[in-house]
Amino acid sequence: MSFHPALRTVDKSAPRIRGMFDRISPTYDLLNRLLSFRADQAWRAKAADQAMADPRGRVLDVCCGTGDLALELARRRPGRVVGSDFAGRMLDVARRKCRGRLDLAQADAMRLPFRDETFDACTVAFGLRNVADTARGLAEMTRVVRPGGRVVVLEFTLPESTVVRQAYLAYFNRILPRMAQWFSGSGAYHYLAQSVREWWSPDELAELMRSVGLRDVRYLPLTFGVAALHVGTRPR
């Protein structure tokens, strides 16, 4: 299969992405709720459910940001939950929210500082799209998961329905950036719209997950296809 065209224009260099998320960290949670009409919470709950093969196991949440998915995981399991992100100020927010319930580490998703087969599952919510090399990020997530463990990816995508896609793009391109500018004073959400337009389709992402060694890859479209939840298993 030929993957998404390489002619992407969005800048995903580490300094830009880290600086952008550090700037929006104080309003990140509020904007997520407002701009998704609170649907992001239900999506994260579904992602956490998919990572629950062994409630006693250890889970790594990559690109954890302010810790929403990691905390959702911690509510469901007595095992250890680790969150990693390379934006220090996002992690500062996560530390205040988690009150010691999570282990947090500042780390690059393309060079995770964990040994092979350390975790029973690895998750990422709305963060893989910001990693400069998607395949490398997926390969790292797969590496740190034990055989039989799951890799779970929650990400925005473009709806297949022409009508829904047009409405979605109009919202992403015109309304969302203006609302975000008004609430946060940041132009970061122009990047969000561009990065979603240039992101892999659900079928392409599923194939990319298979290419790094994951098996039984499947995905579930969410809320008319504006997001997708992918799950793959590392072979035993």
Side-chain angles (χ1 to χ4, degrees):
M1 174 181 180
S2 60
F3 291 125
H4 215 264
L7 300 176
R8 293 188 173 93
T9 60
V10 63
D11 177 9
K12 296 184 182 181
S13 62
R16 184 200 181 195
I17 297 299
R18 183 184 292 110
M20 179 179 68
F21 280 100
D22 277 342
R23 286 192 298 274
I24 65 174
S25 59
T27 56
Y28 183 78
D29 287 343
L30 172 63
L31 285 168
N32 277 347
R33 306 296 178 266
L34 289 173
L35 300 178
S36 72
F37 304 101
R38 302 190 75 86
D40 66 300
Q41 293 175 303
W43 296 341
R44 286 187 178 88
K46 289 182 181 293
D49 288 340
Q50 289 299 317
M52 284 291 291
D54 181 1
R56 298 164 300 173
R58 293 185 293 179
V59 183
L60 172 65
D61 184 36
V62 175
C63 306
C64 70
T66 60
D68 276 354
L69 177 54
L71 285 167
E72 192 71 39
L73 289 160
R75 280 191 284 269
R76 283 165 162 73
R77 60 177 62 231
R80 178 187 177 200
V81 178
V82 179
S84 72
D85 200 288
F86 78 166
R89 292 184 183 176
M90 296 287 276
L91 286 174
D92 288 342
V93 177
R95 288 188 185 94
R96 292 194 293 271
K97 288 166 60 175
C98 79
R99 298 178 182 178
R101 286 177 288 172
L102 305 173
D103 293 327
L104 298 171
Q106 189 163 5
D108 187 332
M110 295 189 294
R111 290 178 291 274
L112 293 173
F114 306 105
R115 294 179 179 178
D116 297 358
E117 304 179 12
T118 299
F119 299 96
D120 297 280
C122 187
T123 63
V124 61
F126 311 115
L128 188 61
R129 191 186 69 257
N130 305 312
V131 176
D133 187 333
T134 309
R136 186 171 173 181
L138 283 170
E140 278 290 274
M141 293 176 69
T142 303
R143 177 184 66 78
V144 300
V145 169
R146 64 167 176 79
R150 292 179 177 179
V151 171
V152 179
V153 180
L154 173 61
E155 193 51 87
F156 289 116
T157 190
L158 293 178
E160 291 188 3
S161 165
T162 302
V163 173
V164 176
R165 180 181 289 218
Q166 288 176 344
Y168 180 64
L169 286 175
Y171 174 69
F172 255 60
N173 293 332
R174 300 172 189 173
I175 300 173
L176 183 149
R178 292 178 184 176
M179 289 177 63
Q181 178 73 34
W182 189 68
F183 276 97
S184 70
S186 169
Y189 284 78
H190 288 285
Y191 160 84
L192 172 63
Q194 185 182 11
S195 66
V196 171
R197 287 195 304 270
E198 297 185 4
W199 181 238
W200 312 89
S201 72
D203 284 333
E204 288 172 331
L205 183 57
E207 187 62 24
L208 191 58
M209 291 174 71
R210 295 184 188 102
S211 77
V212 301
L214 293 167
R215 298 293 178 264
D216 302 321
V217 177
R218 63 192 187 279
Y219 67 84
L220 173 68
L222 301 171
T223 314
F224 306 108
V226 303
L229 178 60
H230 285 69
V231 182
T233 302
R234 180 171 176 175
R236 294 186 183 276

